[in-house]
Amino acid sequence: MSTPPRHEQPQDAPRRPVTLTKLAEMRALGEPIVMVTAYDHPSAKAVEAAGVDIVLVGDSAANNVLGYTDTVPVTVDELLMLTAAVHRGLRTPLLVGDLPFGSYEASDEQAIQTAHRFVKEAGCDAVKLEGSPERARAIVRAGVPVMGHVGLTPQTATALGGYRAQGRTAERAKAVLDEALALQEAGCFAIVFEAIPADVTDVMMGHMEIPVIGIGAGGSTDGQVLVLHDLLGIHGDAHPKFVKRYADLRGEMVRGLTEYAEEVRTRRFPGPEHTYGIAPEELQRLHEQIPVRQRA
Ligand code: KIV
């Protein structure tokens, strides 16, 4: 009997929790890594059921679930509450918490304290930050695995000239690569490349030794990440070029809600099957105690 390769589990074997070692192994074997964002408990359970490898509670929660226009205002406490809810819904994916703007830049001490909160209070396996190789190094030294993020980094989008692809000149592409290499050298276990021309990604990939997860960075990265609300069509907002829609949940939500409203207004809901009963003798005793009156 032949033995399946070590990375392959029999079909019915329970999925094992995804570790940093497993991710490095997937990269080495050329097995694509699947990452997605999630911001609440039911989404976490769906993501778990789908067998995703990495879940990021992104600071994109700011615009996707909290109603801010960008990621800058979201606070550590807001993200901790969402991240803890996601943690309660997961068993196997690696859980990464996103350090929000203003929670790690000021000093190594601030960065370490914030990272420790994500691990201790929200159950994260790792944290992610944008740029900032020195802060990444400090957090890694303090015992928390760090995922880097280069290219379009939304927390500093204004300084980058807005929400647009990065690395579109040779100089800018070299600067993005230098930052990625600095994060790798600082000890990051993985890195996100966001909104980078595919040809530039191809060049950069030759220099990376850690798993690279792309979003709008072409197909040559070790894995892909998308925002849950973008890929499932949960909001009706315009989405970036790199998003592929796999479902139209907003359309389905509006359809269901409209039908519910219609059935309430026409008294077709609730039906007998949604209604509790009472034994006839108990109803009789109730009538004896409380006289039946017409509604005023
Ligand atoms: O916050 C987020 O959703 C992210 C992903 C785009 C990687 O940082």
Side-chain angles (χ1 to χ4, degrees), residues 62-211:
N63 33 306
N64 285 306
V65 296
L66 295 176
Y68 296 119
T69 50
D70 57 53
T71 59
V72 169
V74 71
T75 66
V76 169
D77 287 333
E78 285 170 326
L79 284 184
L80 283 175
M81 191 195 65
L82 300 178
T83 309
V86 169
H87 177 243
R88 289 190 284 273
L90 296 182
R91 198 181 63 77
T92 51
L94 191 90
L95 176 60
V96 181
D98 214 2
L99 304 189
F101 182 66
S103 73
Y104 60 93
E105 300 89 336
S107 65
D108 286 355
E109 291 68 28
Q110 185 203 30
I112 292 167
Q113 270 172 17
T114 308
H116 281 165
R117 287 193 70 191
F118 274 81
V119 173
K120 288 163 73 100
E121 298 176 35
C124 285
D125 300 304
V127 296
K128 180 173 85 56
L129 46 64
E130 297 185 2
S132 312
E134 287 318 311
R135 301 294 174 250
R137 184 188 308 280
I139 297 171
V140 170
R141 285 195 175 146
V144 179
V146 176
M147 175 179 273
H149 185 159
V150 297
L152 174 54
T153 44
Q155 293 175 8
T156 46
T158 311
L160 296 173
Y163 288 83
R164 55 175 57 175
Q166 299 296 307
R168 297 184 97 166
T169 64
E171 292 72 25
R172 285 297 308 146
K174 170 82 171 49
V176 176
L177 173 60
D178 286 346
E179 188 161 57
L181 291 175
L183 285 161
Q184 175 170 273
E185 200 270 322
C188 288
F189 72 93
I191 188 164
V192 170
F193 284 7
E194 178 165 355
I196 296 171
D199 289 335
V200 173
T201 301
D202 293 349
V203 173
M204 290 172 65
M205 286 305 290
H207 298 264
M208 301 306 297
E209 292 163 8
I210 54 177

Side-chain angles (χ1 to χ4, degrees), residues 37 39 56 58-60 98 128 149 192 194 215 225 227:
T37 68
Y39 315 109
L56 170 71
D59 61 353
S60 54
D98 214 2
K128 180 173 85 56
H149 185 159
V192 170
E194 178 165 355
I215 173 163
V225 55
V227 165

Side-chain angles (χ1 to χ4, degrees), residues 11-24:
Q11 288 267 294
D12 49 359
R15 236 172 90 84
R16 285 195 286 265
V18 175
T19 60
L20 304 188
T21 314
K22 166 80 180 165
L23 294 173

Side-chain angles (χ1 to χ4, degrees), residues 228-262:
L228 186 90
H229 286 51
D230 288 340
L231 83 94
L232 293 182
I234 294 176
H235 50 56
D237 306 345
H239 55 77
K241 172 188 171 74
F242 54 72
V243 170
K244 179 170 177 186
R245 283 250 151 109
Y246 290 85
D248 173 25
L249 293 198
R250 184 176 186 278
E252 187 56 14
M253 285 160 78
V254 172
R255 190 206 56 71
L257 287 162
T258 308
E259 194 177 332
Y260 163 68
E262 166 68 10

